[in-house]
């Protein structure tokens, strides 16, 4: 059952060197740099996003993710979900409006995998960047780098992925779209969840440490755009993880690389869709190579082990 949670709305990432990071996210990924706040955090958005920002970078000593936020439909829904999160047993913190420039009140809560998530109902809405909302042209000509269109999802690593999946499903109305299950033990090793008709809005892989970040992903329109991203990765000697290739899980066409601080990024296109009546797609753990990298059919060590 949907519970008024609409979409991934923002992610705050820690970076080691702000100026290097800004060059990466603005000039290589092609996000739009929209703001720098009084804490020196840098704000970005994909050009098709109507809200004012979706990626926030904070300079710190260690890379990784501070939190990921989801936008809900109304302030009433925000209040209802807050009460349900408290009843579920989460520790809930209210972050006042304006702590992030242009964002309304945020409800931050912890999860069994040790990740912090937020809900919010209001954010300034300047509209898509570079095109008019009236008689809009197809795309703005000024885009840079990979021309990432929007922030799409995160993949997170942690121990109790069943616990976090249960929280997201019961309290926030997420739907389990795909999973990887070890058939012998019955252990779920990966869970893909959606609040929309996308194949996933967030995903988890079982991992002994809590609170780890695997990647933030951005949408491109075509396979040609993914190949063009691969060219840019070589042109600028960006650290490549794997790709271009296709996933078995979700069937997206993808490439993975690292920002200068070691946080993994993905750009991808295509893939499956999910409606509420769709059954859960299950991959066997013994097919994990093909599930993750459909062409190579083997996992690379970096993809499994390198998290921030
Ligand atoms: Fe992804």
């Amino acid at each position: 059952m949907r519970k008024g949670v609409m979409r991934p709305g923002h992610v705050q990432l820690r970076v080691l060197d702000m100026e290097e990071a800004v060059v990466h996210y603005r000039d290589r990924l092609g996000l739009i740099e929209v703001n720098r706040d009084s804490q020196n955090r840098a704000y970005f958005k994909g050009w098709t996003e109507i809200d004012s920002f979706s990626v926030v970078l904070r300079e710190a000593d260690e890379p990784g993710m501070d939190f990921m936020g989801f936008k809900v439909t109304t302030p009433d829904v925000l209040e209802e979900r807050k009460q349900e999160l408290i009843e579920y047993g989460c520790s809930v913190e209210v972050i006042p409006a304006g702590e992030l420039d242009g964002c309304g009140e945020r409800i931050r809560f912890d999860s069994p995998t040790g990740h912090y998530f937020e809900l919010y109902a209001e954010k300034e809405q300047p509209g898509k960047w570079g095109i008019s909302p009236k008689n809009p042209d197809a795309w703005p000509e000024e885009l840079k780098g990979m021309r990432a269109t929007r922030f799409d999802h995160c993949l997170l690593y942690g121990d109790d992925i069943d616990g976090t999946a249960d929280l997201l499903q019961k309290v926030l109305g997420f739907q389990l779209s795909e999973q990887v299950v070890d058939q012998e033990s019955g252990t779920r090793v990966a869970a893909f969840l959606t609040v929309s008709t996308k194949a996933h809005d967030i995903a988890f892989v079982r991992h002994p440490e809590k609170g780890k970040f695997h990647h933030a992903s951005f949408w491109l329109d075509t396979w040609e755009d993914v190949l063009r991203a691969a060219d840019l990765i070589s042109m600028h000697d960006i650290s490549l993880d794997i790709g271009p290739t296709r996933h078995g899980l979700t069937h997206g066409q993808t490439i993975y690389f690292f920002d200068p601080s070691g946080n993994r990024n993905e750009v991808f296109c295509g893939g499956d869709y999910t409606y509420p009546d769709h059954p859960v797609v299950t991959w066997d753990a013994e097919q994990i190579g093909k599930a993750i990298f459909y062409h190579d059919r083997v996992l690379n060590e970096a993809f499994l082990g390198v998290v921030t």
Side-chain angles (χ1 to χ4, degrees):
M1 187 183 72
R2 302 298 196 219
K3 290 199 158 206
V5 180
M6 286 194 290
R7 60 169 176 265
H10 57 235
V11 61
Q12 182 167 302
L13 299 176
R14 299 186 296 273
V15 297
L16 305 179
D17 181 306
M18 182 59 82
E19 298 321 311
E20 273 185 9
V22 166
V23 169
H24 175 84
Y25 284 89
R26 180 192 62 203
D27 298 344
R28 309 298 174 241
L29 259 171
L31 298 176
I32 310 303
E33 186 183 15
V34 289
N35 191 24
R36 193 72 71 98
D37 72 12
S38 58
Q39 300 176 47
N40 198 36
R41 291 179 296 187
Y43 294 47
F44 300 83
K45 66 183 276 181
W47 73 268
T48 66
E49 295 170 10
I50 59 170
D51 286 352
S52 56
F53 67 87
S54 59
V55 174
V56 179
L57 304 181
R58 177 174 75 85
E59 196 167 75
D61 294 334
E62 275 184 27
M65 183 186 86
D66 283 335
F67 52 81
M68 179 179 178
F70 296 90
K71 192 175 191 188
V72 305
T73 48
T74 67
D76 286 347
V77 164
L78 187 65
E79 184 59 30
E80 287 167 24
R81 297 294 85 77
K82 181 175 90 174
Q83 292 308 325
E84 288 178 19
L85 286 164
I86 292 167
E87 284 161 26
Y88 189 87
C90 295
S91 75
V92 170
E93 184 186 357
V94 178
I95 317 275
E99 196 279 332
L100 280 169
D101 281 356
C103 189
E105 182 178 274
R106 291 136 62 204
I107 304 302
R108 185 178 296 172
F109 57 100
D110 63 351
S111 66
T113 44
H115 299 101
Y116 287 90
F117 299 108
E118 297 182 347
L119 302 178
Y120 64 95
E122 293 172 321
K123 192 182 275 183
E124 281 175 15
Q125 204 161 83
K128 292 182 184 181
W129 181 86
I131 59 169
S132 166
K134 206 170 177 193
N135 308 319
D137 280 316
W139 38 268
E141 290 181 287
E142 302 84 356
L143 297 172
K144 291 181 182 171
M146 300 176 194
R147 308 169 186 155
T149 67
R150 66 161 196 259
F151 167 52
D152 189 89
H153 66 267
C154 287
L155 173 60
L156 306 175
Y157 274 37
D159 52 355
D160 187 5
I161 65 170
D162 293 326
T164 297
D166 184 75
L167 164 66
L168 295 180
Q169 288 174 268
K170 288 202 175 125
V171 183
L172 304 184
F174 278 73
Q175 176 182 354
L176 184 68
S177 56
E178 304 211 11
Q179 61 182 348
V180 181
V181 176
D182 183 289
Q183 296 300 326
E184 249 173 54
S185 63
T187 305
R188 188 193 281 158
V189 292
F192 287 59
L193 297 124
T194 183
V195 278
S196 62
T197 55
K198 289 157 56 190
H200 58 331
D201 287 304
I202 191 165
F204 297 90
V205 167
R206 190 177 294 277
H207 178 79
E209 297 166 276
K210 280 188 186 292
K212 302 309 279 187
F213 171 78
H214 189 272
H215 67 263
S217 185
F218 301 88
W219 178 263
L220 302 181
D221 288 327
T222 68
W223 175 233
E224 200 68 33
D225 289 333
V226 177
L227 299 180
R228 192 173 163 280
D231 290 340
L232 287 161
I233 286 166
S234 287
M235 278 180 210
H236 295 284
D237 284 318
I238 294 168
S239 175
L240 175 70
D241 186 9
I242 195 162
T245 185
R246 182 193 284 279
H247 288 303
L249 285 149
T250 76
H251 295 131
Q253 297 160 313
T254 180
I255 187 164
Y256 289 91
F257 50 97
F258 295 95
D259 78 7
S261 306
N263 294 306
R264 190 185 277 93
N265 300 151
E266 173 186 35
V267 289
F268 82 110
C269 69
D272 299 328
Y273 57 86
T274 308
Y275 282 106
D277 62 339
H278 283 202
V280 180
V281 173
T282 300
W283 282 82
D284 296 342
E286 60 179 28
Q287 294 279 316
I288 188 98
K290 192 187 267 191
I292 306 281
F293 300 122
Y294 191 66
H295 298 155
D296 288 350
R297 286 162 278 153
V298 286
L299 287 174
N300 73 347
E301 279 306 307
F303 192 86
L304 268 191
V306 177
V307 287
T308 55

